[in-house]
Amino acid sequence: MKYPYIAKSFAKHALSGFKTPYMVMFETTLMCNMFCEYCIFGEAGKFNDLQTRAVRERIFRRIDEFCDMGIFAISFSGGEPLLNPNTTDYIAYASDKGMWTSMPSNGLLIRKYADGVARLDMLEVSIDSLNPERFAKRRGLNGLPKILENLDFVLQKRKPFTTQINAAVNLENLEDLPALAEFCRERDLVLHPEAVHNVMRAGELLPDAELHGDEINRVEKSLRQLRAAFPRNIRFYAHYYPFYRNGGFNAEFPCRHPSKLVSMKPDGSIHLPCAFMTLHQSQAPLKEIFASEEARKIIAQEETMWDFCKGCKIGCAYEVSAYANSPTLALKSALNFLRVWS
Ligand SMILES: C[S@@+](CC[C@H](N)C(=O)[O-])C[C@H]1O[C@@H](n2cnc3c(N)ncnc32)[C@H](O)[C@@H]1O
Ligand code: SF4
Ligand code: SF4
């Protein structure tokens, strides 16, 4: 880990009264080569940003700005981040500067970019079943054998517990999780199960895919049992389940994405309040954006949120909010994180 960078960033945050963002979600592209039934990016041809992606220099300058502001971590997300051929160069640049880097991927291209993804502090590969038919149904592509082959190749270049398997969970694949956990135990991987939830984008929603009533209890109970059986390998936030049952973000547990998680789009623009809804976007320098009246006004509203936030349970927004809303949860997460790295 990059301790000098972390120490310097911590000092900057302390100086700002812990008011500045601590993480970036960079959607390197909104395009995807899979068709997952629960994901808004899974609709063929829906997004095309080939013409509007930032030229490389603009993204490198953005990463400089993130470091100047003392932002700790950057996630290279998407769509499928490896469909942007520059992604691994951005990872190397952010990593060389000291940022903590992570990337979720569907795994189809990780072998092609094996040396590049080897630089990540955390590589996340999304596999929600080891049953090829169920995988194909859920992820819209009969790609499991190829993805497992790619994963085995990439794992030769990675340290234990620095690769995570992301599993979107509902009742359909709940029974598949013990086999996935065993797979992770054999390879020193982390398994991060996350209950399927609806993800809104610019007001648009897929048909309801959420867990209701007793379904959420069954998923939570199974995950707790799984964690007891595989304590070194399973990572999830137990508090996410009461949060889910409670309907997601609310005034007692507001979303901190606007102030704590910077959303950067493929063209290098910064969007507020979040990656899923834009009230303000800008290509101005980062410090200028966060000092602007528009941004301050939006951030001041995060306590009460907006109508479009109703029912939102998005995992990445939940994680940053958990750290910011509750010192106990932050401490628990830190301990969880350290166990992963031990
Ligand atoms: C949006 S994808 C982007 C990165 C990459 N394409 C991938 O599949 O890993 C990031 C993660 O969100 C998960 N995901 C997508 N839609 C979801 C949903 N409705 N509920 C829970 N997780 C979801 C995916 O399985 C994946 O692990
Ligand atoms: S979960 Fe990832 S791989 Fe699946 S459609 Fe969404 S962005 Fe693509
Ligand atoms: S709750 Fe947060 S992530 Fe969800 S729509 Fe509102 S601002 Fe965006």
Side-chain angles (χ1 to χ4, degrees), residues 29-36 41-42 44-45 47 79-80 83 106:
T29 175
L30 303 183
M31 295 166 72
C32 195
N33 49 1
M34 279 181 88
F35 314 98
C36 304
F41 294 114
F47 295 98
E80 173 48 42
L83 286 179
N106 61 29

Side-chain angles (χ1 to χ4, degrees), residues 122-123 125 127 148 151-152 154-155 158-165 180-192 230-235 340:
M122 184 59 88
L123 166 66
V125 181
I127 300 174
L148 292 179
L151 178 64
D152 271 342
V154 167
L155 286 179
R158 297 198 56 80
K159 295 197 186 107
F161 296 103
T162 65
T163 305
Q164 172 170 298
I165 302 300
L180 254 182
E182 183 57 36
F183 175 90
C184 291
R185 194 188 59 72
E186 286 164 2
R187 291 165 180 76
D188 286 342
L189 308 177
V190 180
L191 176 59
H192 177 54
F230 297 88
R232 268 166 65 79
N233 300 89
I234 312 288
R235 184 181 83 91
V340 164

Side-chain angles (χ1 to χ4, degrees), residues 1-2 25 34 70 122 137 158 162 176 222 233 327 339:
M1 285 175 78
K2 298 127 179 179
M25 178 165 56
M34 279 181 88
M122 184 59 88
K137 184 209 168 253
R158 297 198 56 80
T162 65
D176 297 339
S222 288
N233 300 89
R339 194 171 62 222

